[in-house]
């Protein structure tokens, strides 16, 4: 075990470039990315990671071509459908994103149903927690938190804002990973990653490996708590 108690958050980028390099459609890159996520979950469990949080689809990603968006939605249904596998690994699934009843939320019903079922059917697992960010954006989350407090007449400060986030019990991020050579945070967990080091990996997400994860965990270890 080299990763116990660590919260690793990944911005899974580079699926499109991975596919283009192989002369494949972007959708094939997303399919490979979902398959690699299943592999990375297994590796993270073996490495003793406590929380793995992944950016699956952002509030900004809806402007992508319809066919690509439809493919990514189908892959999330598949991901949340991996219940037997997750139960075997003792992984508890959670989801973070614009609440389904929020007027701006865009998660379609069939994905909502898959999310709700995965959360329910893995709720008793006590191993790693896998949180999937879908229809997620940090600015939307922080604005939603502020609005919730305003409506309740609660004073807005760092503590009350933190407790009004979508998932207030999500622990602080210990290391933020960005794949595919990009050096942007792209509106992911801005509040929760305030003090986190960032591990930049040149691997495209479908190639993100055990060594890449080890590098990230090692970086998390360099920050005193
Ligand atoms: C990440 O890969 C997946 C999502 C953002 C949904 P990209 O699709 O952004 O891949 P690149 O960046 O175009 O290579
Ligand atoms: C970030 O990747 C979002 C996800 C991984 C879901 P993008 O490829 O959408 O980010 P930008 O647009 O390059 O910043
Ligand atoms: Mg990208």
């Amino acid at each position: 075990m080299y990763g116990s108690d660590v919260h690793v958050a990944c911005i899974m980028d580079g699926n499109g470039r991975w596919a283009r390099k192989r002369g494949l459609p972007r959708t094939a890159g997303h399919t490979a990315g979902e398959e690699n996520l299943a592999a990375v979950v297994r590796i993270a469990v073996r490495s003793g990671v406590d929380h793995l949080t992944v950016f699956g689809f952002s509030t900004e990603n809806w402007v992508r071509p319809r066919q690509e968006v439809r493919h990514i939605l189908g892959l999330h249904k598949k991901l949340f459908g991996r219940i037997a596998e997750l139960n075997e690994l003792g992984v508890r699934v959670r989801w973070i994103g614009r609440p389904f009843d929020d007027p701006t939320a865009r998660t379609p019903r069939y994905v909502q149903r898959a999310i709700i079922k995965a959360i329910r059917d893995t709720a008793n697992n006590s191993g790693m927690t896998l949180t999937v960010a879908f229809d997620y954006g940090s600015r939307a989350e922080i604005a939603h938190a502020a609005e919730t407090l305003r409506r309740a007449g609660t004073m807005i400060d760092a503590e009350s804002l933190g407790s009004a986030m979508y998932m207030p019990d999500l622990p602080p991020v210990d290391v933020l990973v960005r794949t595919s050579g990009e050096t942007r945070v792209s509106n992911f967990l801005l509040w929760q990653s305030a003090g986190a080091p960032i591990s930049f990996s040149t691997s495209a997400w479908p190639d993100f490996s055990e060594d890449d994860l080890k590098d990230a965990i090692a970086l998390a270890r360099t920050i005193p708590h």
Side-chain angles (χ1 to χ4, degrees), residues 11-20 26 29-30 55-58 61 64 68 72 76 178-180 182 184 204-206:
I11 303 169
M12 307 185 289
D13 197 17
N15 293 347
R17 276 162 283 176
W18 181 93
R20 195 177 55 215
R26 293 178 60 82
H30 295 307
F55 207 178
F57 197 77
S58 74
N61 286 148
R64 292 191 180 202
E68 183 180 347
I72 295 171
H76 278 80
R178 175 80 186 225
T179 64
S180 209
E182 300 300 342
R184 295 187 293 281
W205 175 256

Side-chain angles (χ1 to χ4, degrees), residues 15-113:
N15 293 347
R17 276 162 283 176
W18 181 93
R20 195 177 55 215
K21 240 174 81 184
R22 286 161 180 77
L24 298 168
R26 293 178 60 82
T27 48
H30 295 307
T31 300
E34 194 276 335
E35 275 159 20
N36 196 45
L37 173 56
V40 171
V41 166
R42 214 165 263 281
I43 296 165
V45 167
R46 206 165 60 222
S47 308
V49 169
D50 207 31
H51 281 266
L52 178 66
T53 304
V54 296
F55 207 178
F57 197 77
S58 74
T59 49
E60 288 76 32
N61 286 148
W62 292 104
V63 301
R64 292 191 180 202
R66 257 178 56 189
Q67 186 233 353
E68 183 180 347
V69 170
R70 204 176 312 128
H71 186 83
I72 295 171
L73 294 180
L75 286 171
H76 278 80
K77 183 168 181 247
K78 183 176 174 205
L79 171 64
F80 286 106
R82 290 179 183 267
I83 292 168
E85 208 174 316
L86 295 163
N87 280 336
E88 174 210 317
L89 292 167
V91 172
R92 182 170 67 125
V93 178
R94 300 180 86 188
W95 159 79
I96 188 168
R98 287 188 287 205
F100 299 151
D101 60 359
D102 191 292
T104 61
R106 294 193 61 178
T107 305
R109 282 255 188 257
Y110 75 98
V111 179
Q112 292 184 18
R113 279 196 292 270

